[in-house]
Structure formats: structure tokens, C-alpha cells
Amino acid sequence: MNDQDPVGASSPDSHEADGVPRLQRIVARTAEIGGEVPVSRLLPTRQRRMVGAWCFLDHAGPAGFAPGAGMRVGPHPHIGLQTFTWMIEGEVLHRDSLGHVQVIRPGQVNLMTAGRGISHTEESLAGERRLHAAQLWIALPAADRDCTPAFDHYPDLPLWDEQGCRFTLLAGRWGGRVAPVRLYSPLVGIDVHAPVEARLRLPLEPGFEYCVLPLDGAVTVDGERFGVNELADLGSGRDGLDILLGAGTRALLLGGAPFGSEVLMWWNFVGHDKAEIARAQRDWEIGSERFGRIEGWDGPPLVAPPLPWVGV
Ligand code: MN
């Protein structure tokens, strides 16, 4: 996955001028990640660059495909972010330059902390015929952006039933629960599945920005309906959310404290200035040890597109 829109990541104010929380509709655009799986990109957009430190959101599938035609993303680098994968259907193999080889299965999260530099691959397992996943990036705060790279697999997340729905806490805190996922800024992520129509009241943190994305089905917020791949940008300043989930709906609720500084996103890099991104790009092009080597992948590395800036 990658982002090739080099615009800076400052978001407009989350509040409308009259103090009423924002409700903005963001419709996905189609993205290419490798393989035949359709991918819808919700973040970043010009309307909203980030929600807290969540700075990238791809919704992959749900898709069926012939064996061998699923996700296949060759070696590519990351800096300055954490990649966060939430698997709903199908199985994907992750390999990275730290030597991790990990299959992620439905109900699990993979978290890769790129810090100063890492590279990885992702591929549907041989024989796999389905994929449905959310792939996100979390920007690292400036103080942590050069941290030691790491990879964490979370097979067991807090899971509970409430108000007729099945909740999974993907990241951060919710009520008295805490997800084990390693974070560097205040964030939350939950997955809510409604087997039958459900009307929920969800407590929110007024200082956080939030969004909701239906991954299946549809939700209604403040009288507006949002279908699959229509993100409801909720802004900040809400202490709760009344939401209607249609039967069979699965929705992602993401939130976080406003990031507080601009980040620059280019290709697979998150940086704080152009020079930092240009250095990472050059290090990848020359095969620097910074991004290591991936064992067991058969194929060439991904080639970075030319930098969009002149004179760096
Ligand atoms: Mn990646």
C-alpha cells in the first residue's frame, strides 16, 4: 500500500464555526496495491488528512478470487509510521526485514512499527480465495519517528457483546478495556458487528477526533446514511454518538487526539520534511542496510516513483 499524494497532512479544524461537531462524508477512491483485490482508500483525502494519528486507511475487499490471484505486495520500505492490519476474511502472510514471518487470520491485528526503517511483503496464502481487511497507518510523533523498528502480532484482542452487537477493541482503551497494541499517541479503534439492526449509544472522548466507516452494510449518523466505503468524519467535540447499524453491518470506529503537527506522506514514507523523505527514498534506491533484506520472497522489490519535488 502506498500514498502518492504529496500534500501535507494538516486537517482543517474539526469543529464547525458554531460549535456543532462536524459531520462530513468522504467517499473512497480506488487504489492499487498489487494483486486483483479491489482496494478503496478513505484516508488521506483533501477533506481530511488524519483522524488523530490514523493517517492512512485502505479497505481491501471483500473480494473473492482464483487461487494465486489474491494480494501480492513485493518488498517495500516504510519510515515514520506503524502499519496496522485488521483481518476480517482470508489469510495473509507477512515477512519483514527483521526476520518475522507471520500469517494473520480473521480477528487478528498485525502491527509493524517502521520507526527509522523497515521493509516487508504481504501476500495471500497459496490456495486462498477470499480477502477482507482494513489496512491503516498510524503516524509516529516526531519524538518517536526514529525509533527501533518492530513487528507485533496480536492474535487475541478484547472481544465482547453489548447492545446486541459484537465489539472488538483493536487499539487503545474503551470503557474499562485496554487493547495490547503498542501505541505512541492516544488513539482508539473498535470494530462493531451488528447481526441484526441495532441502535447504539457509544461514549466518545470530546478531545478526540473520530470517524466511522462501514465495512459491510450501512450506518446512520445524525440522520445521514453512510454505506460501504463512505466514511463519516465526525470531527471532535462529541461526548457520545447515536448510531444505527443495519442488519449485518460491520463498522470501524477510529479516533484519536488531534496529531498536533503536520506530517508529509509520500509513497510508503511518513516524514516531517521533504529532506527526510528524500533520504529514505535514496536509501531504498541504493539498497541501504537501513531497510534490511527479506528472506524467502521470490521477486523484485517495488520501485519508488520519482519524488514530486524539484531540487531536494
Ligand atoms: Mn507496507
Side-chain angles (χ1 to χ4, degrees), residues 1 76 78 83 120 122 268:
M1 51 192 184
H76 63 280
H78 289 287
T83 64
H120 73 144
E122 293 167 291
N268 292 296

Side-chain angles (χ1 to χ4, degrees), residues 155-169:
D156 296 304
L157 297 159
L159 190 68
W160 71 99
D161 293 319
E162 184 184 317
Q163 303 179 67
C165 293
R166 167 58 56 98
F167 286 69
T168 309
L169 182 56

Side-chain angles (χ1 to χ4, degrees), residues 14 16 21 49 60 151 165 179 205 218 223 243 260 276:
S14 296
E16 302 302 335
R49 308 297 305 177
F151 174 80
C165 293
E205 178 66 50
I243 183 170
E276 186 184 353

Side-chain angles (χ1 to χ4, degrees), residues 126-142:
E128 183 62 63
R129 292 170 175 274
R130 298 285 304 168
L131 182 67
H132 191 193
Q135 293 205 297
L136 298 111
W137 296 353
I138 303 168
L140 289 169

Side-chain angles (χ1 to χ4, degrees), residues 37 62-65 70 87 89-92 124 127-132:
V37 178
F65 42 80
M87 190 60 59
E89 275 188 276
E91 299 187 336
V92 168
S124 294
E128 183 62 63
R129 292 170 175 274
R130 298 285 304 168
L131 182 67
H132 191 193

Side-chain angles (χ1 to χ4, degrees), residues 58-135:
D58 267 1
H59 179 205
F65 42 80
M71 176 188 274
R72 182 171 167 83
V73 186
H76 63 280
H78 289 287
I79 64 163
L81 57 83
Q82 296 175 290
T83 64
F84 181 104
T85 304
W86 165 235
M87 190 60 59
I88 299 158
E89 275 188 276
E91 299 187 336
V92 168
L93 176 66
H94 158 98
R95 302 177 197 265
D96 65 43
S97 52
L98 302 177
H100 295 99
V101 179
Q102 178 68 56
V103 174
I104 179 172
R105 301 193 161 88
Q108 302 180 342
V109 161
N110 273 0
L111 181 77
M112 188 177 77
T113 303
R116 62 177 173 261
I118 197 168
S119 60
H120 73 144
T121 63
E122 293 167 291
E123 57 190 307
S124 294
L125 291 187
E128 183 62 63
R129 292 170 175 274
R130 298 285 304 168
L131 182 67
H132 191 193
Q135 293 205 297

